[in-house]
Each structure stands twice: as structure tokens, then as C-alpha cells.
Amino acid sequence: MDGFAGSLDDSISAASTSDVQDRLSALESRVQQQEDEITVLKAALANVLRRLAISEDHVASVKKSMPRKGQPSLREAISMSCITNGSGINRKQNHTSSISIARKETLSSAAKSGTEKKKEKPQGQREQKEDSHSNDQSPQIRAPPSPQASSQPLQINRQTPESKSSAPTKSIKRPPTAEKSHNSWENSDDSRNKLMKTVSTSKLISKVIKNTDKHKDVIVNQEGEYIKMFMRGRPITMFIPSDVDNYDDIRTELPPEKLKLEWAYGYRGKDCRANVYLLPTGEIVYFIASVVVLFNYEERTQRHYLGHTDCVKYLAIHPDKIRIATGQIAGVDKDGRPLQPHVRVWDSVSLTTLHVIGLGTFERGVGCLDFSKADSGIHLCVIDDSNEHMLTVWDWQKKSKIAEIKTTNEVVLAVEFHPTDANTIITCGKSHIFFWTWSGNSLTRKQGIFGKYEKPKFVQCLAFLGNGDVLTGDSGGVMLIWSKTMVEPPPGKGPKGVYQINRQIKAHDGSVFTLCQMRNGMLLTGGGKDRKIILWDHDLNLEREIEVPDQYGTIRAVAEGKAEQFLVGTSRNFILRGTFNDGFQIEVQGHTDELWGLATHPFKDLLLTCAQDRQVCMWNSAEHRLEWTRLVDEPGHCADFHPSGTVVAIGTHSGRWFVLDAETRDLVSIHTDGNEQLSVMRYSVDGILLAVGSHDNFIYLYTVLENGRKYSRYGKCTGHSSYITHLDWSPDNKHIMSNSGDYEILYWDIVNGCKLIRNRSDCKDIDWTTYTCVLGFQVFGVWPEGSDGTDINALVRSHNRRVIAVADDFCKVHLFQYPCSKAKAPSHKYSAHSSHVTNVSFTHNDSHLISTGGKDMSIIQWKLVEKLPLPQNEVITDTSATKPPASSLETARPSNPPPQPFTGTEEESRMDSSPTLVENSLEPMAEPSEEQSEWGSEDLGVVIDEEPASELDEKQGATELPEEERSTTPLC
């Protein structure tokens, strides 16, 4: 508080002096930024001039064959194609010599910045314009960029003011001269080819400019005091700590620690169906994000199949109950390349990928699929998510497509082989049921006729009775029995079987969402609106029923469990295990909307998550279970535990923040700072201060009393020009380091009134208590080349200060060595998420890392392990090399690779090259800087580069689905 009192006593003259100093500081910063831009332009110009000299040599080689009259004009045309708007004025006879002089003047300055790293997207056009207009010599002080300032011509030759003023006129007159020169060449094929080469040279030069801009590297000043990296054209200055004697001596290596996927929290029931089954191993199989989970609820263990590269959407069990087929949607990797939807058939015991089917065949994603039953499951039928909903039949062991046909433009919700008739396939969906006869490579369709029965809006599901009849459930709550009857054939043809309705049963209020045929011949049905599970006897008479409590949502999937038990998947992402006598027990649950907030307990095996579903969940990371959950009034976005561990602060989207008791979940305190989203909550190391970072560009400071139960406003840090993204405290509580949305790194003097520290070098030696800022000298090496500044969502340093974990926008979790102070540092990279990874945090003893997915709503718990063989799901990312040598790739693989499950095309063999669950890549164009190992491990993530799943929403028919399908009600 003393800092505030002192600031109030300042005189008017002192305030004026401070204002002048602020303006001078701003001007100095602007001048420095513009000097950096000039350096970049010089580097680009050096490449332009080098290419221009090469084109001059080409022109000279045909000098004798050209009419002399057109030669100067040709040179001027070449010059204008490379440097525009007056940059080539008054060259004529001394053109070549002037280029040489300019090259000497420019190359010396370009040597410092010729390898600069990042692409400056917003300023790309302006830089190309300034390449031809900016003065070659850096001014001492420049005004802010403006159209008038940028129109100054580039002086390759010494020019008088008169020649400058006449430049526009001459540049307008040049095109006719060039045209005249071109006409004089018309009779010479060789000359015409040379002119085409001139155009190609112009295009090549533009590419050189772009490549020079793209590969900007980190710049170290001559005195070794600071370094600069570039983010979207903006230089970011980071001061080198005093204990670094020589920056060039710094080396970054791969950390010895690696990650192993231990537990996946959550289940995707919100927009999926029929995706929960019990295996003979006693495990429940389901999926979340790109992970297929095999959960033994009695032993509380999980195994994971991690072969997919994007969201898994459908699941089918082979008749042998061992092999499983899972289908995924299409995705995009970080370079914009498509990741194709496909089906993977794998072994649930060994977690071995057996076959990958449908690459290049399916559009958008896999809608539904089923194994054949009458022929022991040697065939697989798939319906994709294209507009035509193509039905394909596969011999999946041979990976050959046998038949393909368009089904309908309407939504298709289910497909199944008939259990006794191997040639019959049935599909159903919006206002239809189709009976398909499969013969060889042809499929013929018979549409089910509802006749006197009311035609439902949706036929939701289907099953088969013991006598071969087809049973359907629809959106009207009705079950229909379809029996095959023989009809009188046309003359000369044999009798034909047609499915017709012979019975109707009113089953549920609202839709019949799922049907489950039990081993004893009885039937389970799950309702949508009424949330009832009903048991039907062999004659389809109602025998037992039970209602799923409202807080769990509507029913998405029903499966038979052990003995009298059954499993239920719900729209609020619960998996329940229940009986008609004892009710339900929660086995799996998770968030139901985008997830961002994550905090780990300071000394217990606990973690807290908060999401846009307004749920705050406390998880036990040792026992892998939910401790408690509470519904708050606002969507949560960030959180932090008080060092005492007794309370936790939660920031929301509206500027309000809550403090909850970590044991009882009771509300302790509530405050409001602004009306915009809060992005970070951070307690000081001793817990006596709390910093709240907001999207209104301010950091709010509070004093904390009574172990986090009482708060009073201390101050506000004002100075950022964009929203706060991350912040960290110093050990003595005197300083804060913060990052913002426009890539600022600012430091704050908290003791003296929350003032901005103008001289940032004063903070270069602070050993920050935590390190979550994504920009800083100790961590800037984590940024990928060509990043736009939004590629990294979160970063955290381990408590033992050995590694850094990074959450990126491409579904990956990275592990770097700490400190990471060299550009393009190598990292271990892991996949399990199918959406942007929003947050990462180490547990209190660094034994585990927790990561959260955004749209996939998953929480992944990784175990830190050391000195393991390179796991199959991991990529060593070393962007310093553009292409790994072949020898290094050979040594990364085991000397005796295991036998392959099958052989196929190059792309398929790469996907199935290991007998373990994890696949290396779906795309032939893997990053050349990544080395992949094929050592197996069943619980390690995959290595495919992809972009997060678009919105996890249904692109086709989303507005047409029944109300139960579109339910987005949050957990209660």
C-alpha cells in the first residue's frame, strides 16, 4: 500500500516528466521496431539483387542475337519486373555497375538477418512494397510508417531531387518501350524463350523474398545482451541472463523424461450412439477424443488403443468379441494437409492394428459400420458421412472393396448385416428403412413400406429377433417388427422375399433410441425423452423398467453387462452400470462442453478442471476417480489452488471469479473484475497475493488473508495493449512477468504500486516461482517455425525445473528440456487429443502431467518415465534439421522389426508397420525433421500430425436430428 501513497503525493511537474519519459520510451521502441524491419528488407533485397544479376547474365548471353535497339529496353523491363516504381530509374548504361554497388552495400547488413525465422503475415504486402521504396540506409530516427513515408524510392543509384520527382512519369512511359522491344523480338523463337525466362525470373525472385521472410532466425545483438525472435513480423526482445557467458554455447537436447498415457477421463456420448460394449475380458470399451479406452471397472485399470489420428465416431464388435472396428472423421494436420477418414480393425487383447480400411474412399468421416454375422465376420459394411451416404462392403482381411452404392441424401443412423442371411444388409435413418440385397459386387435396394402405420420422422435403431425378423425403434417411441414374406413373382421369375410390418408396439414416450438383444433372447430398449431402460421378454411383453436420473442426460447406448447388469451411455457423457433392482452406479463421466481450466493441488494427488458446461470437477489422480463436482453460475475458464491447498480460485467468462473450499466445495468468496473473460488466476508462492489476468488488458491484484478465505483489492497493472494470456510471480512477490495476446513480455513492480518496469533488462535474472508464460528467454525455443503466435496454448515448467510441457493447437503435447533457449529445440511429441490442447499442468511431485482438450472435452493423465526405449507414439521433433539423414532414421528403429500383420500399399504398410496399437502416420508426407521409432507400447500416444477436429459437430443433417440428438444440457 505504501506504493500507492507515494504515487498520490507526486507533484504535477513530476507527472509531466513521467509523461515525457513515457513518450520517449515509446518512440525509442518504435524506432527499434522499424530498424528491425529495415534489416529484414535488406536481407530480402540482397536475394533480389543476386537473382537480378543472374538474369543479367542470361541477357548478356544472347546480346549478339538481339537487335541493339531493344536491348536497353529489355534490361529495363527485367529491372522493372524485379524492382518497381522508380527503383530502376536512370540506369541505362551504368545499370550493371550500379547493381554491384548496391549489392556490396546491402549484403553486409543482410548477413546478420538473412536467416530470420518467422513469416510476417500481416505485413507481408507492406514489406514487399518497401523492398522497392525504402531507403537503403537506416535513419537514426523514423516517423511511424505511413503511405507517404513508404513511397520514398530506393536509391540504387545516386539520384538528384529532380530525377526523383520525375520518377513517376518515367515509370509510366516504360511499358510502351518494353512493348516495342518485345515486338522487335517476335521473329526470334530463341528470343521469345528468353523473354519467358525473364518472367520466370520475376516469379522466382518473389519466391525468394517469401522464403527469406519465412526463415527468419533468432537475432543476437553484438554485445550478447539480448536476443530477438519474430512473431508475425513483430520483433520480441528477450534479455539474456547474466549467468549466460556465451549464448552460442547453449545447447538444447531431448529430455530424458518421456510420457506414457496412464488414464483418459471422459466419454463421448453427447453426439454419438451405440458406442459402449462389454468385452469378454471384463472391460468396457468406449472412446473419447482419438483414444479407444478399455476400462476394467472391477480392477480400476485402463488400456488404450491409440491408432487414430482424429475423433473416433463409431465402434463395432466382431462376432468373436475380440476384434474391434473403429471409424474416425477426417482431419487436417498443422500444415493444412488432409487426414483421411478411415476404419481401423484391431485386436482388443494385444491392441494390435490388423488392417486399415477406406483410405481415400470415405468422405468427411465414418457414420456407422457393422461386421457380418452369418459368415463369421469376414465382411464389413460402412456408411460414410458424405452427402450421398455411400454404403461400401469390404472383405476387411484382404482390404478389398467388394461393393459400393449411394444410399440416400438423408441422415443414415444405423447399418447392420442380417445375422442369418449373409446377403441382406439393412440401413435406417431419417424417414426410411432400406433392405439391401448384396450379390457379388452389386447392391439392390428395397424400401420398407409403412403402409397403414404412421411413418416416423426418424428410424433410430434396429435389432434382430431370434426368428430372423427385424425390429426397429423410431422417434415416435414405437417398435415395429418387419417380417420377410414371399410375394407372387412376375411371370418367368422366382419368388421374392419382401419385408413387411406385421406388428407395432408402443415402447417409450419420445424416441426409442437404442435396442440391445441379450444373450438369453430378451430385449433391452433405451428411451430418449423418458430416459427409461425397459426389459422385454421373448414375446416382446414389457417385463421390467427403470428410469435413468435426469442429471445423467438422455440415453445414447445400452449394452448387456455381467449377470443381470447392463451398461448405459448418456448424452451428458456418463457411462452407468446398473440393474433393475439396485439402480445405477457411475463408472465414467466427464465434461460436456469446451474445456480450458486446469489446476493441480500443491501437495495432494488432486486436480481440478472447469469448462464451459459450468461444471467444476475435482479429480483424484492416484485413484482415477471423481472426488466431487459442483455447478457454478458461469462457464469456467481458469483456476489455481491456494498454496495451502484449502481453497481454489476459478475465473469465468464474465469477469466474475469464485473461491471454493477444496474439501467441501462450498462457496467461500465471489468477486468481479471487469466484464470480460478471465484468462489466468495465479497465487504468489506464499499465498498472500493473487493476480487475476483479464481479457480487458489488466492484471488485478488482491491481498489474501485467512488461508485464501478473505480478499481485498491491492492494485491493478495497466500497460498491456492486448488481453492477458499468462503470468508468473517472482519468489519475493515483488515482480510479475506477463504475456499478452499481441506477444508482449512485460514486467511489473508490485511493491511500488504495480508499475510497469520500463527497463526490462532489470528483470533478466529473476528466478520465477512458476514458468507458465509462453514467451521468455528460458522457453522461446518451444515455438515451431512459421508459427502465427497462437500455436501454443499453454506451457508449464516442472517443479524440479528439468522439463517443459507444451500444449499446442495441433492436438499434441510436447516435452522439452528446461531451459529451452535455442530456436527449433527438439522435443518428445505425443498424441491422444483430437482437438486443440488447451492446458497442461504437472502434479505436485512431477510424477504425472495432466493435459486437457478443448472441443474433445478430454482429460489425459500422462506418467513421466525415464530411460525407456523410444515409444512408438512419440516423435522426436528437431526442427533445426530440414531432413534427417537416412542413417539416423535407421538407428531410430529396432534392428529386428517384428513381423507385419499384413502387406499392402506403401501408405497402408506405414500405418500398420508395427504390431502394437499405435500407428505412425496416415500421410506419406510426414515432417522431414521428425524421426519416428516403431518400438511398441500399448499406452503411448500416436504421432500423426493433424489439426484439431473442426468443432466435433455433425456437419451433415445436424439441424434435422431429433431433440434427443441435439441435447446440449450441461451436467447437473
Side-chain angles (χ1 to χ4, degrees):
M1 294 297 183
D2 295 339
F4 281 127
S7 63
L8 293 174
D9 293 338
D10 288 342
S11 64
I12 297 177
S13 60
S16 301
T17 302
S18 174
D19 186 56
V20 171
Q21 290 177 348
D22 289 345
R23 292 184 179 182
L24 286 175
S25 177
L27 285 173
E28 289 174 358
S29 175
R30 184 176 297 172
V31 169
Q32 184 64 50
Q33 179 180 354
Q34 293 172 353
E35 288 179 353
D36 292 333
E37 293 175 356
I38 291 174
T39 303
V40 174
L41 294 178
K42 288 180 179 179
L45 181 60
N47 281 283
V48 172
L49 295 176
R50 179 171 62 84
R51 296 291 182 181
L52 190 59
I54 294 174
S55 66
E56 285 286 322
D57 294 339
H58 282 295
V59 174
S61 66
V62 293
K63 180 178 179 181
K64 293 182 180 180
S65 63
M66 292 164 34
R68 186 172 182 82
K69 183 177 180 181
Q71 183 174 353
S73 298
L74 174 63
R75 286 188 177 179
E76 293 176 20
I78 296 172
S79 303
M80 287 190 64
S81 69
C82 305
I83 304 178
T84 59
N85 293 341
S87 59
I89 297 175
N90 291 339
R91 295 184 186 183
K92 300 207 179 202
Q93 300 300 325
N94 63 341
H95 178 73
T96 305
S97 61
S98 66
I99 291 177
S100 301
I101 294 171
R103 289 183 63 195
K104 290 179 182 178
E105 293 175 352
T106 310
L107 289 175
S108 61
S109 60
K112 298 180 181 178
S113 59
T115 59
E116 289 183 345
K117 171 179 155 189
K118 292 185 69 67
K119 181 180 277 187
E120 303 178 38
K121 295 180 181 177
Q123 299 182 2
Q125 296 179 351
R126 189 184 71 181
E127 285 189 9
Q128 291 186 12
K129 186 174 181 180
E130 288 182 356
D131 280 343
S132 60
H133 295 303
S134 299
N135 196 303
D136 195 32
Q137 297 181 358
S138 302
Q140 295 300 319
I141 298 178
R142 282 184 57 180
S146 64
Q148 291 78 10
S150 63
S151 62
Q152 189 71 15
L154 176 67
Q155 297 184 19
I156 293 184
N157 292 314
R158 301 284 182 178
Q159 296 182 0
T160 63
E162 290 78 8
S163 65
K164 290 182 182 180
S165 63
S166 61
T169 304
K170 292 188 176 182
S171 64
I172 293 173
K173 292 181 179 179
R174 281 185 185 275
T177 308
E179 182 180 357
K180 182 178 180 181
S181 173
H182 178 267
N183 292 336
S184 66
W185 280 23
E186 283 183 347
N187 295 328
S188 173
D189 293 337
D190 184 61
S191 299
R192 189 179 297 110
N193 292 336
K194 294 297 181 181
L195 186 59
M196 295 301 295
K197 288 183 179 180
T198 301
V199 178
S200 300
T201 302
S202 173
K203 294 179 179 179
L204 180 61
I205 291 172
S206 65
K207 291 181 179 179
V208 170
I209 295 174
K210 293 179 180 179
N211 290 336
T212 303
D213 188 43
K214 180 179 180 180
H215 295 95
K216 295 173 188 165
D217 208 343
V218 172
I219 299 175
V220 184
N221 76 322
Q222 294 180 354
E223 294 78 14
E225 295 176 350
Y226 61 84
I227 62 173
K228 287 186 179 181
M229 65 178 289
F230 292 84
M231 196 77 72
R232 297 187 69 174
R234 181 168 185 165
I236 302 171
T237 302
M238 293 163 284
F239 287 89
I240 300 175
S242 302
D243 58 359
V244 178
D245 297 328
N246 186 354
Y247 177 75
D248 294 333
D249 294 337
I250 294 178
R251 296 290 180 266
T252 55
E253 300 176 351
L254 285 169
E257 293 84 356
K258 295 179 175 65
L259 299 179
K260 179 180 180 181
L261 197 156
E262 181 176 278
W263 203 266
Y265 300 87
Y267 155 71
R268 183 169 181 173
K270 182 179 180 179
D271 57 352
C272 295
R273 58 177 64 220
N275 61 347
V276 177
Y277 295 96
L278 182 69
L279 300 179
T281 57
E283 297 167 307
I284 303 173
V285 58
Y286 59 94
F287 52 77
I288 176 71
S290 64
V291 181
V292 185
V293 182
L294 295 91
F295 171 48
N296 189 314
Y297 58 86
E298 293 179 342
E299 300 177 2
R300 302 298 300 178
T301 60
Q302 277 188 359
R303 296 188 299 140
H304 310 98
Y305 176 74
L306 299 165
H308 285 281
T309 62
D310 215 302
C311 296
V312 182
K313 284 298 296 290
Y314 211 88
L315 175 69
I317 308 296
H318 193 273
D320 64 11
K321 306 297 183 183
I322 295 175
R323 288 171 285 190
I324 297 175
T326 45
Q328 73 166 62
I329 67 172
V332 181
D333 70 8
K334 68 184 184 67
D335 296 319
R337 298 186 298 244
L339 297 171
Q340 297 173 332
H342 60 276
V343 173
R344 306 177 83 84
V345 182
W346 48 281
D347 188 297
S348 64
V349 176
S350 64
L351 298 176
T352 300
T353 297
L354 303 176
H355 297 286
V356 179
I357 298 169
L359 287 169
T361 300
F362 308 133
E363 292 185 27
R364 297 182 183 170
V366 174
C368 44
L369 54 92
D370 187 47
F371 282 103
S372 59
K373 303 171 182 65
D375 56 7
S376 301
I378 63 174
H379 294 104
L380 185 73
C381 61
V382 183
I383 291 184
D384 70 7
D385 275 336
S386 65
N387 291 337
E388 294 80 17
H389 297 97
M390 301 298 295
L391 168 63
T392 52
V393 180
W394 301 78
D395 184 334
W396 63 267
Q397 292 176 321
K398 297 179 180 179
K399 295 186 299 182
S400 61
K401 182 169 62 176
I402 301 173
E404 182 176 21
I405 193 170
K406 170 185 173 181
T407 60
T408 175
N409 288 331
E410 303 290 355
V411 175
V412 179
L413 298 175
V415 59
E416 290 205 28
F417 278 98
H418 196 282
T420 57
D421 185 356
N423 296 323
T424 298
I425 300 172
I426 303 167
T427 63
C428 63
K430 183 181 179 183
S431 300
H432 76 269
I433 178 170
F434 294 145
F435 300 89
W436 302 85
T437 301
W438 168 38
S439 177
N441 60 358
S442 67
L443 287 162
T444 57
R445 185 181 77 180
K446 292 272 186 190
Q447 184 167 357
I449 305 300
F450 291 91
K452 64 179 181 179
Y453 300 97
E454 181 181 357
K455 186 176 184 180
K457 186 174 181 181
F458 286 88
V459 180
Q460 299 267 33
C461 51
L462 56 92
F464 300 92
L465 302 179
N467 60 1
D469 288 350
V470 179
L471 181 68
T472 61
D474 60 44
S475 54
V478 173
M479 291 193 299
L480 297 174
I481 299 175
W482 301 75
S483 299
K484 191 172 185 179
T485 59
M486 306 307 293
V487 297
E488 188 68 26
K493 293 186 179 181
K496 289 186 178 181
V498 176
Y499 282 91
Q500 296 178 340
I501 300 173
N502 69 11
R503 185 180 174 189
Q504 174 180 278
I505 303 167
K506 178 63 176 178
H508 290 271
D509 294 330
S511 67
V512 180
F513 207 88
T514 181
L515 300 171
C516 174
Q517 189 74 40
M518 303 179 71
R519 291 184 294 270
N520 60 9
M522 300 182 77
L523 180 74
L524 284 173
T525 63
K529 184 178 180 180
D530 63 8
R531 305 187 313 279
K532 287 183 179 180
I533 305 290
I534 300 179
L535 177 66
W536 306 83
D537 65 15
H538 297 79
D539 297 323
L540 293 182
N541 298 313
L542 190 152
E543 186 166 305
R544 301 286 299 275
E545 69 176 49
I546 188 172
E547 184 176 332
V548 174
D550 179 64
Q551 64 264 30
Y552 301 139
T554 58
I555 297 167
R556 289 290 185 180
V558 174
E560 187 174 8
K562 295 181 180 179
E564 296 180 353
Q565 297 177 350
F566 49 87
L567 304 172
V568 182
T570 75
S571 61
R572 294 183 185 170
N573 296 345
F574 285 87
I575 295 179
L576 309 174
R577 178 167 55 93
T579 65
F580 288 102
N581 293 326
D582 302 326
F584 297 98
Q585 179 179 340
I586 300 173
E587 295 296 345
V588 180
Q589 68 184 101
H591 286 281
T592 60
D593 210 336
E594 189 168 357
L595 172 59
W596 279 86
L598 171 67
T600 51
H601 197 280
F603 51 85
K604 292 182 181 180
D605 293 325
L606 298 174
L607 61 108
L608 181 137
T609 57
C610 55
Q612 292 189 20
D613 60 8
R614 300 188 293 124
Q615 281 289 329
V616 177
C617 298
M618 182 76 77
W619 308 86
N620 188 313
S621 61
E623 300 178 7
H624 309 123
R625 60 180 175 83
L626 182 71
E627 290 285 337
W628 55 258
T629 182
R630 177 185 172 119
L631 192 68
V632 294
D633 296 335
E634 306 280 351
H637 190 81
C638 55
D640 193 33
F641 277 95
H642 188 270
S644 68
T646 58
V647 297
V648 60
I650 299 159
T652 71
H653 281 233
S654 65
R656 300 173 70 190
W657 53 277
F658 306 93
V659 180
L660 300 181
D661 188 293
E663 294 287 340
T664 66
R665 72 187 110 169
D666 293 336
L667 182 63
V668 174
S669 183
I670 183 169
H671 300 268
T672 302
D673 288 309
N675 57 5
E676 296 191 41
Q677 174 181 302
L678 301 181
S679 51
V680 56
M681 312 287 291
R682 187 79 64 226
Y683 285 99
S684 61
V685 65
D686 54 9
I688 65 172
L689 290 171
L690 172 66
V692 181
S694 172
H695 272 225
D696 63 9
N697 304 357
F698 300 138
I699 301 174
Y700 300 91
L701 276 300
Y702 285 82
T703 56
V704 183
L705 301 173
E706 301 177 10
N707 275 348
R709 296 183 176 275
K710 187 176 181 180
Y711 297 82
S712 59
R713 176 75 73 85
Y714 174 77
K716 182 170 69 172
C717 299
T718 304
H720 271 294
S721 56
S722 185
Y723 58 92
I724 312 302
T725 59
H726 307 84
L727 63 86
D728 293 290
W729 282 95
S730 64
D732 57 8
N733 297 352
K734 293 182 178 180
H735 301 93
I736 283 179
M737 170 176 60
S738 59
N739 291 167
S740 63
D742 58 352
Y743 328 122
E744 288 180 322
I745 309 173
L746 298 186
Y747 302 91
W748 307 91
D749 185 346
I750 303 304
V751 176
N752 296 316
C754 306
K755 293 182 179 179
L756 176 65
I757 299 175
R758 299 292 179 182
N759 189 359
R760 290 180 290 167
S761 63
D762 293 345
C763 300
K764 65 182 180 181
D765 294 324
I766 295 178
D767 186 18
W768 302 99
T769 302
T770 59
Y771 216 119
T772 60
C773 287
V774 297
L775 293 171
F777 177 80
Q778 284 81 4
V779 300
F780 77 88
V782 306
W783 284 92
E785 186 174 3
S787 174
D788 66 355
T790 64
D791 294 338
I792 293 179
N793 296 315
L795 175 151
V796 64
R797 180 187 65 193
S798 62
H799 300 90
N800 59 21
R801 302 176 182 237
R802 295 177 58 181
V803 293
I804 306 168
V806 170
D808 74 13
D809 245 4
F810 310 110
C811 317
K812 303 295 182 295
V813 174
H814 299 254
L815 205 62
F816 290 87
Q817 182 189 61
Y818 179 83
C820 188
S821 303
K822 280 285 188 177
K824 297 173 281 190
S827 72
H828 300 303
K829 184 166 66 171
Y830 303 89
S831 293
H833 295 283
S834 61
S835 175
H836 51 291
V837 186
T838 55
N839 217 329
V840 283
S841 182
F842 287 98
T843 56
H844 65 97
N845 56 2
D846 291 331
S847 63
H848 293 84
L849 175 73
I850 311 298
S851 62
T852 58
K855 292 291 185 180
D856 66 27
M857 301 166 283
S858 63
I859 306 167
I860 304 297
Q861 181 172 319
W862 310 85
K863 184 177 181 180
L864 267 75
V865 293
E866 295 187 33
K867 298 181 180 179
L868 288 181
L870 192 64
Q872 181 181 1
N873 73 307
E874 173 194 326
V875 174
I876 299 178
T877 306
D878 185 358
T879 53
S880 60
T882 58
K883 187 174 183 179
S887 59
S888 66
L889 289 174
E890 292 294 329
T891 57
R893 298 189 174 104
S895 57
N896 296 315
Q900 306 301 319
F902 69 101
T903 58
T905 63
E906 178 183 356
E907 185 173 17
E908 291 165 337
S909 63
R910 176 174 60 256
M911 295 172 61
D912 303 308
S913 59
S914 171
T916 59
L917 72 158
V918 182
E919 307 307 315
N920 285 334
S921 179
L922 286 179
E923 293 298 319
M925 40 219 177
E927 289 188 37
S929 61
E930 297 178 349
E931 300 178 24
Q932 297 184 165
S933 170
E934 299 175 2
W935 293 44
S937 175
E938 68 180 20
D939 287 328
L940 295 165
V942 280
V943 278
I944 305 113
D945 288 322
E946 79 256 18
E947 192 175 68
S950 53
E951 293 293 331
L952 297 184
D953 57 334
E954 299 286 347
K955 292 184 180 179
Q956 177 65 23
T959 59
E960 300 176 285
L961 297 180
E963 182 179 358
E964 292 85 1
E965 292 247 12
R966 302 193 299 268
S967 173
T968 57
T969 309
L971 289 160
C972 293

